[in-house]
Amino acid sequence: MVLEATVLIIDNSEWSRNGDYTPSRFQAQIDSVHYLFSIKTNDNPENTVGVIANAGETPEVLVSLTADLGVLLKGMYGLGVRSESHFDTGIQIAQLVLKHRANKYQKQRIIAFTASPIDADEKALVKLGKKLKKNGVSIDVVNFGEHAANEAKLAAFVEAANNNESSHLVTIPPGPHVLSEQIRASPIVGAGGSGGAGGEFDFGVDADMDPELALALRMSLQEEEERQRRGAAAQAGGESSGSAQQRAGDDGDAVMEDLDEDEQIRRAIQMSLMESQQESASGSAGDAMANDDLVASLIGSLPGVDPNDPALQSALGSDSAKNNTDNSKNKDKPDSK
């Protein structure tokens, strides 16, 4: 969001009565002024916009730098078509307006409309452009109406004032299009200017018409992008863990391959004995549990015998412990054969 003070210069000369632009050159400029005011003030709440009408005996400041739409409408109320336009004089007055801006941190910009032939010669315009560049004032010129006659002069003027691609000349020939829509798609509002996103709307929504919907869609997009980033990070972590396990298995295989044949046979025998011992331990536990279940079922089937009698349970427990001791002794006793 660029902090900027902008002065809009309207060409309200007699040439602006022509209807080759919808609805006329004059009304097309008024619509574009309203659009540019909205773009600039929405881009940064501290931005200010002024308006100058450069036709008549001398250019007139209609609206001083302001961010209030009511002040803009009041200043432009009753503006009409007058005699001749004074392009260069209007530029100089706009520069004075910007010089006396309240916030000195604001960048300076002039957007001038030209709907009539420019009387000033090219040399004088180049000198004026260099002065704007020296004072840090950017200039955007909307060349329409008499665009062919003014093209060379305005190109030299903008080139002299241009500093790091901050100034632009936009030539719009006649046609069925709306002037403000052509400005929307131009560098004045697009990538080269300080305004919005050019001719296309984000998510198909015009932020000027429905800013709340545009904000909600933008926040939703940001949340979805964050969710996708988290998912990608989790997936990358899982893949790295699986790769580490695979590398560990590969390392074990590599170690076995490095051993000689006798050592490999010895390790294979050790692994086989460990598996046999585990199976034997689990089998013994299973047999003991099976024997206990068989004794309990036999006692429960005898008439007049209570399987839950404490004396009976104690006797069965002592017999079971004795059998386990005898089994362990038999296992430890060496074979006499």
Side-chain angles (χ1 to χ4, degrees):
M1 300 193 309
V2 179
L3 180 60
E4 194 172 61
T6 306
V7 175
L8 308 177
I9 302 178
I10 300 175
D11 184 351
N12 59 327
S13 64
E14 292 290 344
W15 294 80
S16 63
R17 294 184 184 274
N18 291 351
D20 49 353
Y21 292 81
T22 307
S24 67
R25 295 184 186 181
F26 176 73
Q27 190 59 46
Q29 291 180 83
I30 300 300
D31 296 339
S32 300
V33 165
H34 291 162
Y35 167 70
L36 290 171
F37 181 89
S38 174
I39 284 291
K40 295 295 182 180
T41 53
N42 288 338
D43 187 49
N44 192 315
E46 296 186 16
N47 282 355
T48 54
V49 179
V51 180
I52 294 177
N54 67 352
E57 295 182 1
T58 181
E60 178 184 0
V61 178
L62 301 177
V63 181
S64 300
L65 292 173
T66 181
D68 190 342
L69 179 60
V71 175
L72 175 76
L73 297 176
K74 181 179 179 181
M76 295 184 62
Y77 177 77
L79 177 64
V81 175
R82 300 177 183 176
S83 56
E84 297 296 327
S85 174
H86 308 281
F87 178 79
D88 52 344
T89 306
I91 296 292
Q92 295 175 16
I93 294 176
Q95 185 178 355
L96 291 175
V97 172
L98 292 172
K99 183 179 179 180
H100 293 90
R101 66 195 185 281
N103 188 351
K104 298 301 180 182
Y105 292 101
Q106 291 175 321
K107 293 184 177 181
Q108 305 173 82
R109 179 173 297 275
I110 299 172
I111 301 179
F113 294 85
T114 60
S116 60
I118 298 176
D119 294 334
D121 57 13
E122 183 175 328
K123 184 177 180 180
L125 291 177
V126 170
K127 183 178 180 180
L128 179 59
K130 292 180 179 180
K131 184 179 179 181
L132 293 176
K133 182 177 180 180
K134 179 181 178 181
N135 294 328
V137 180
S138 302
I139 179 73
D140 295 323
V141 179
V142 180
N143 179 27
F144 75 111
E146 305 302 314
H147 59 283
N150 296 331
E151 182 75 25
K153 292 182 180 181
L154 292 176
F157 168 64
V158 172
E159 182 179 359
N162 191 19
N163 184 16
N164 296 326
E165 302 300 326
S166 61
S167 300
H168 309 90
L169 172 62
V170 178
T171 300
I172 303 175
H177 44 255
V178 179
L179 184 64
S180 60
E181 293 296 331
Q182 297 300 309
I183 294 174
R184 185 196 301 268
S186 72
I188 295 177
V189 178
S194 62
E200 298 181 359
F201 304 139
D202 292 338
F203 321 107
V205 176
D206 186 358
D208 298 330
M209 300 299 295
D210 197 343
E212 294 181 356
L213 177 59
L215 178 60
L217 291 173
R218 189 175 293 108
M219 292 176 62
S220 177
L221 177 62
Q222 292 174 353
E223 292 175 357
E224 177 63 19
E225 291 175 349
E226 180 63 23
R227 186 189 64 80
Q228 292 179 359
R229 281 195 294 268
R230 290 196 299 267
Q235 183 178 2
E239 291 177 354
S240 62
S241 177
S243 299
Q245 295 177 357
Q246 183 177 1
R247 285 196 299 270
D250 295 341
D251 293 341
D253 295 340
V255 171
M256 289 291 290
E257 292 175 359
D258 293 340
L259 300 176
D260 57 14
E261 184 176 356
D262 294 338
E263 185 65 19
Q264 290 181 3
I265 294 173
R266 187 181 66 82
R267 291 201 176 187
I269 293 173
Q270 288 179 349
M271 295 173 64
S272 178
L273 290 174
M274 292 174 60
E275 292 177 356
S276 299
Q277 291 174 359
Q278 292 176 357
E279 292 176 356
S280 175
S282 61
S284 299
D287 293 341
M289 292 178 64
N291 292 333
D292 292 342
D293 293 341
L294 178 60
V295 172
S297 62
L298 290 174
I299 293 174
S301 62
L302 295 175
V305 178
D306 185 8
N308 297 323
D309 188 358
L312 180 61
Q313 294 291 337
S314 177
L316 290 175
S318 61
D319 291 341
S320 177
K322 183 178 179 181
N323 291 333
N324 292 335
T325 303
D326 293 340
N327 291 333
S328 62
K329 288 181 179 181
N330 292 332
K331 290 180 180 179
D332 296 337
K333 185 177 179 180
D335 192 359
S336 59
K337 294 181 180 180

